[in-house]
Amino acid sequence: DADVTQTPRNRITKTGKRIMLECSQTKGHDRMYWYRQDPGLGLQLIYYSFDVKDINKGEISDGYSVSRQAQAKFSLSLESAIPNQTALYFCATSAGPFGEAFFGQGTRLTVV
Amino acid sequence: AQKITQTQPGMFVQEKEAVTLDCTYDTSDQSYGLFWYKQPSSGEMIFLIYQGSYDEQNATEGRYSLNFQKARKSANLVISASQLGDSAMYFCAMRELGFQKLVFGTGTRLLVSP
């Protein structure tokens, strides 16, 4: 089993719908991140969390919200999806200040 | 604010040759870490190599080495003896000790030809 698991892997949703992307990890890391990848723009940070009570906005948090339900679980919600939120979404975890990030397999989201 | 710049959108190299992928960064923090990731066409993100700001020697991992020039704020990835399987997107990233955000560059697409 993967250390960082994202569900779903692929999702097509309609404009205006609420959608939740889930991430769970078995690495025991305290730091978790949500990124969005668009062609030519690399990975942009949406939200990050250092523990259950510490959640921070990244570069592009507008239109997104997150929930850290437990150390191992970090969910990303789109309250009212719009087409320009069509992208590849990654969850990642890391341990310590300079540990490398471990990524989930990605969720390909299409908003029509 | 921390920033990563990768100026090469695409690079081409012949099999068995070496290639350098450029990365420059901007930070006001004295303590930071630099990372390189590979993203093949299948989409997963694969960690390649790490360099700490206080590391005196350049990091190496097999065919990967990081050419770290602190004064120039550059952290170039060198891939020796390129293989066809090296064709992928490559991302440079940085985390500051202070802010702890992991910030990525826009990536370089490497194509290795036979």
Side-chain angles (χ1 to χ4, degrees):
Chain A
D1 289 341
D3 294 325
V4 184
T5 303
Q6 292 182 233
T7 54
R9 293 292 309 280
N10 291 281
R11 181 71 180 267
I12 300 173
T13 192
K14 292 184 177 180
T15 297
K17 292 290 188 181
R18 183 180 189 274
I19 182 169
M20 179 181 288
L21 308 183
E22 297 186 338
C23 176
S24 62
Q25 53 120 343
T26 59
K27 298 193 74 67
H29 291 166
D30 51 1
R31 291 160 170 79
M32 296 189 75
Y33 306 82
W34 274 105
Y35 289 92
R36 165 181 171 158
Q37 184 178 18
D38 298 278
L41 293 180
L43 278 76
Q44 296 175 275
L45 183 61
I46 307 173
Y47 272 94
Y48 59 108
S49 170
F50 294 157
D51 64 38
V52 175
K53 296 181 180 179
D54 185 4
I55 295 177
N56 305 277
K57 292 183 178 180
E59 305 156 302
I60 56 163
S61 59
D62 288 348
Y64 302 95
S65 63
V66 291
S67 173
R68 185 85 183 262
Q69 302 96 323
Q71 188 199 32
K73 295 184 182 294
F74 193 36
S75 300
L76 177 72
S77 293
L78 287 69
E79 296 302 325
S80 180
I82 56 177
N84 76 0
Q85 291 177 312
T86 293
L88 181 60
Y89 290 84
F90 283 104
C91 174
T93 74
S94 68
F98 294 129
E100 73 264 27
F102 293 85
F103 282 80
Q105 312 96 310
T107 295
R108 191 165 296 279
L109 176 66
T110 303
V111 184
V112 298
Chain B
Q2 62 188 114
K3 185 179 179 181
I4 294 284
T5 302
Q6 295 180 255
T7 58
Q8 306 157 313
M11 289 286 287
F12 295 89
V13 67
Q14 279 203 309
E15 201 176 7
K16 300 180 184 179
E17 293 185 349
V19 63
T20 298
L21 306 183
D22 294 341
C23 173
T24 58
Y25 60 92
D26 189 21
T27 178
S28 56
D29 204 323
Q30 295 301 309
S31 297
Y32 51 88
L34 296 155
F35 306 80
W36 276 92
Y37 286 83
K38 172 183 178 181
Q39 186 181 40
S41 58
S42 53
E44 71 266 33
M45 295 290 288
I46 302 168
F47 166 73
L48 295 178
I49 196 167
Y50 164 80
Q51 179 85 42
S53 59
Y54 291 114
D55 293 341
E56 294 185 352
Q57 293 193 337
N58 288 341
T60 59
E61 290 287 347
R63 295 185 299 110
Y64 303 108
S65 61
L66 199 152
N67 184 0
F68 181 47
Q69 298 188 45
K70 194 171 182 177
R72 298 179 62 182
K73 294 188 175 178
S74 73
N76 299 338
L77 178 70
V78 180
I79 305 174
S80 63
S82 297
Q83 301 173 356
L84 296 178
D86 293 334
S87 293
M89 282 290 289
Y90 288 81
F91 291 98
C92 180
M94 177 176 69
R95 180 188 291 127
E96 294 173 334
L97 179 63
F99 286 104
Q100 282 294 298
K101 293 189 298 182
L102 182 59
V103 176
F104 285 79
T106 53
T108 296
R109 183 171 298 280
L110 176 66
L111 182 61
V112 181
S113 59

